[in-house]
Amino acid sequence: MKKEHIILVFFILAKFLLQYRLISPAYELHRDEFLHLDLGKHPDWGYLSVPPVTGLISRVIYLLGNSEFWVKFFPALSGALTIWVVWKAIDALKGDLYAKVLGATCLLFSVLLRLNTLYQPNSIDVLCWTTVYYCIIRYINGENGKWLMATAVVFALGFLNKYNIIFLLIGMLPALLVTDRRKIFGQPVLYIAALIALAIVMPNLIWQYRNGFPVVTHMKALSDLQLVNVSRSGFLFNQVLFFYSSFFVLIASLIALIGHKPFGRYRVFLWSLLFTLLVFIYLKAKDYYAIGIYPIYFAFGSVYLSRILKFKRGVYLKGLSLVLPVVLFIPMYRYAFPDRSPEYIIRHKEAYSKLGLLRWEDGRDHELPQDFADMLGWKELAAEVDKAYAAITDGHTLILCDNYGQAGAINYYSKLGLRAVSFNGDYINWFELEEPYTNLIRVKEGKEREDEMEKTRPYFERATESGRITNPYARESGATVFSFVGAKTDINERIRSEIAEKKK
């Protein structure tokens, strides 16, 4: 095996080892992960929350045993493949071993470690952005039409994973038009590639049409409830923070694309970066939406540095450039990962607050980072629901939750194999109403839980408060489990009416 292949394998293994090391046993799965896992039990060409690829991977995880090991394996794999694609991109740019090691180091010790801890579409999204850019580099190198075909296929797969990749296209098209690469629009192979991409994504587009384009509703809700709290200055600050330990390599990539003559043919990437960021800023996008832009630029920056550090003392600067991303990453390691207990974070709350890590989507600071709080209390909830279910001796019981996190956590952690649903997210399509329900286990959160007993008790023979999440650090702390036994009315009909109302 060649020396560089051994080094690449080392980076890949290091990536996997770090991903598993960076999650403390104090935490459980994340609320989004529960939803994504349940998608695998309902295969389809689309979902209310995400395109179909996540459901397909969740099905594979389910067939592999559905353990937390496999849940964490696939985002780690996406991160490892991103490093590999950048390694290949450096090779395509005629970079040496130093450039490859530098690029891999920058990606290994970056925000991707945080992103790849969670089973979400974001990890594959970054991989697909990086691979599309790599295919474009290969096309520019030789103008071989097969790389346009590859670009189209990867873009389509990325679209079926997360619609966010459409912003890559929005940024790249004007970049092509303002450079001499505009000649690509005269190539018939481009339109053949576009048709191939359209054919791949068409089943999902048809699904969106048949279901009233829920992606539009989802984006509107996202804009109204979350993006309204996003500041453009915060977006820009976090772009620097994401890769701050190796930001000098990104700066080098911009210098190279502006003035390094051998990189003149790749200037479209400079304009693409500008246009894509401007669109994200204008739309007040979440900061992590843009992470997929950057990995390919580490390829340009690494190759450029390897070329300008050829002088005698350049070897010392090369060594420093390899050490710097690791050393500067240490502060991020101390605060950005769920490898510290909630008690530790609260004791060091000031440091976390200064870094903006305690700011939630509601725009306010809380005790823990939002993602960490979303990884607590779920086993406790599932145990309380199991206990409530076991106490009901007769009839068919519906387990109804306020949100997808509660429903998914019960479905994952229940020792009795229970299945919960919600009017929230994709669960609204997964109610089983063939058999009449006579009992109801209701999970309520927030202030509404105080009125649940008074509101629902009249429709049942018996009603009790069975338990609640007591973990003070959980985002769902205080969520309460109510048991209602012996329905006096038709539960199924009420559920059908509620579903119809929610879907309007």
Side-chain angles (χ1 to χ4, degrees):
M1 184 181 290
K2 291 183 179 179
K3 178 181 178 181
E4 71 172 54
H5 292 162
I6 294 174
I7 296 173
L8 176 59
V9 169
F10 166 80
F11 277 105
I12 299 299
L13 292 176
K15 174 66 175 176
F16 277 101
L17 290 173
L18 280 173
Q19 292 301 159
Y20 284 102
R21 166 65 181 81
L22 291 173
I23 304 175
S24 166
Y27 297 97
E28 301 153 15
L29 293 185
H30 186 276
R31 72 164 63 237
D32 290 350
E33 292 177 309
F34 297 124
L35 169 60
H36 297 147
L37 289 169
D38 271 347
L39 297 179
K41 302 167 188 172
H42 306 272
D44 206 340
W45 275 107
Y47 303 95
L48 300 180
S49 53
V50 293
V53 163
T54 301
L56 177 62
I57 296 174
S58 294
R59 186 64 182 171
V60 174
I61 292 173
Y62 180 77
L63 294 174
L64 290 171
N66 213 31
S67 68
E68 292 188 11
F69 172 86
W70 290 111
V71 175
K72 300 302 183 183
F73 174 83
F74 284 93
L77 176 63
S78 297
L81 289 175
T82 301
I83 292 175
W84 177 72
V85 172
V86 170
W87 188 284
K88 295 293 291 182
I90 293 171
D91 197 46
L93 295 171
K94 310 299 182 185
D96 58 14
L97 181 58
Y98 158 76
K100 293 173 181 176
V101 171
L102 177 59
T105 302
C106 292
L107 289 179
L108 179 62
F109 297 99
S110 74
V111 70
L112 294 187
L113 273 177
R114 171 73 181 270
L115 192 76
N116 298 150
T117 59
L118 299 179
Y119 175 53
Q120 297 176 330
N122 302 320
S123 293
I124 295 180
D125 185 49
V126 172
L127 172 61
C128 288
W129 279 67
T130 307
T131 308
V132 166
Y133 287 141
Y134 166 69
C135 291
I136 293 173
I137 289 173
R138 294 302 302 268
Y139 174 76
I140 291 174
N141 283 352
E143 297 192 1
N144 188 325
K146 73 177 184 179
W147 287 107
L148 283 183
M149 300 289 191
T151 301
V153 171
V154 176
F155 175 84
L157 293 176
F159 183 89
L160 293 177
N161 169 72
K162 187 176 175 71
Y163 299 126
N164 185 58
I165 201 170
I166 196 72
F167 291 105
L168 184 157
L169 189 63
I170 292 172
M172 182 57 72
L173 288 178
L176 291 168
L177 288 171
V178 301
T179 65
D180 58 3
R181 290 294 154 188
R182 70 179 69 90
K183 63 185 180 180
I184 195 175
F185 293 105
Q187 300 294 322
V189 68
L190 174 67
Y191 303 99
I192 296 173
L195 289 174
I196 291 173
L198 183 61
I200 294 172
V201 304
M202 185 57 69
N204 177 250
L205 296 179
I206 293 172
W207 183 93
Q208 285 284 341
Y209 172 76
R210 289 177 174 174
N211 289 272
F213 288 98
V215 65
V216 177
T217 305
H218 179 72
M219 291 305 298
K220 185 179 184 305
L222 187 66
S223 178
D224 292 342
L225 299 176
Q226 296 181 17
L227 300 186
V228 69
N229 296 312
V230 173
S231 71
R232 293 184 172 96
S233 59
F235 174 90
L236 288 172
F237 174 77
N238 285 335
Q239 302 312 298
V240 177
L241 187 62
F242 286 151
F243 296 99
Y244 79 95
S245 66
S246 51
F247 197 70
F248 68 95
V249 182
L250 291 178
I251 296 298
S253 73
L254 298 182
I255 295 172
L257 290 169
I258 291 171
H260 187 47
K261 189 173 180 180
F263 279 1
R265 63 167 71 178
Y266 306 112
R267 198 148 293 144
V268 65
F269 283 91
L270 181 67
W271 289 103
S272 176
L273 174 67
L274 175 63
F275 289 133
T276 308
L277 284 177
L278 285 175
V279 172
F280 278 134
I281 293 168
Y282 174 75
L283 295 176
K284 296 182 69 176
K286 292 184 179 181
D287 49 22
Y288 67 84
Y289 288 4
I291 290 177
I293 296 174
Y294 303 107
I296 201 66
Y297 291 87
F298 285 107
F300 291 114
S302 298
V303 173
Y304 178 63
L305 289 174
S306 73
R307 292 175 181 176
I308 66 171
L309 297 178
K310 293 289 189 182
F311 55 92
K312 186 175 181 180
R313 294 189 177 180
V315 65
Y316 300 108
L317 291 176
K318 284 183 175 181
L320 178 63
S321 69
L322 292 174
V323 172
L324 204 57
V326 183
V327 173
L328 292 180
F329 180 78
I330 293 174
M332 178 184 287
Y333 166 77
R334 291 181 60 191
Y335 299 109
F337 301 95
D339 64 334
R340 312 277 179 161
S341 69
E343 293 81 6
Y344 175 91
I345 295 172
I346 290 171
R347 287 198 304 270
H348 300 82
K349 184 176 180 178
E350 186 176 346
Y352 282 83
S353 181
K354 285 181 179 179
L355 292 171
L357 297 174
L358 301 181
R359 181 70 52 87
W360 287 16
E361 289 171 346
D362 60 9
R364 297 185 292 114
D365 277 10
H366 294 260
E367 295 264 23
L368 298 180
Q370 181 171 313
D371 279 345
F372 298 5
D374 275 332
M375 298 164 68
L376 295 168
W378 304 118
K379 290 181 180 179
E380 184 182 9
L381 173 62
E384 291 294 342
V385 171
D386 277 351
K387 183 176 68 174
Y389 186 87
I392 299 173
T393 56
D394 298 311
H396 190 39
T397 303
L398 172 68
I399 304 172
L400 180 61
C401 301
D402 267 357
N403 61 61
Y404 65 79
Q406 296 167 353
I410 294 166
N411 296 343
Y412 188 81
Y413 287 123
S414 170
K415 302 296 185 183
L416 302 179
L418 302 181
R419 286 292 171 260
V421 288
S422 172
F423 294 119
N424 178 236
D426 291 278
Y427 290 92
I428 197 170
N429 293 321
W430 299 338
F431 281 81
E432 297 177 357
L433 300 173
E434 294 79 12
E435 184 178 349
Y437 289 103
T438 54
N439 312 306
L440 172 67
I441 293 177
R442 188 74 172 95
V443 181
K444 291 292 295 182
E445 63 177 344
K447 294 181 179 179
E448 292 182 1
R449 68 177 182 264
E450 299 171 4
D451 304 322
E452 183 62 26
M453 184 65 74
E454 181 180 349
K455 176 183 175 182
T456 308
R457 182 201 295 268
Y459 301 100
F460 293 86
E461 298 291 344
R462 302 194 310 275
T464 57
E465 180 182 316
S466 304
R468 64 176 58 198
I469 296 178
T470 59
N471 188 326
Y473 309 121
R475 189 177 176 187
E476 294 285 332
S477 183
T480 305
V481 179
F482 296 92
S483 295
F484 301 98
V485 179
K488 298 178 183 179
T489 60
D490 189 339
I491 295 179
N492 294 51
E493 186 56 37
R494 293 183 63 193
I495 293 295
R496 290 189 184 96
S497 298
E498 187 71 19
I499 290 173
E501 184 65 27
K502 294 286 186 183
K503 288 187 173 182
K504 283 184 180 179

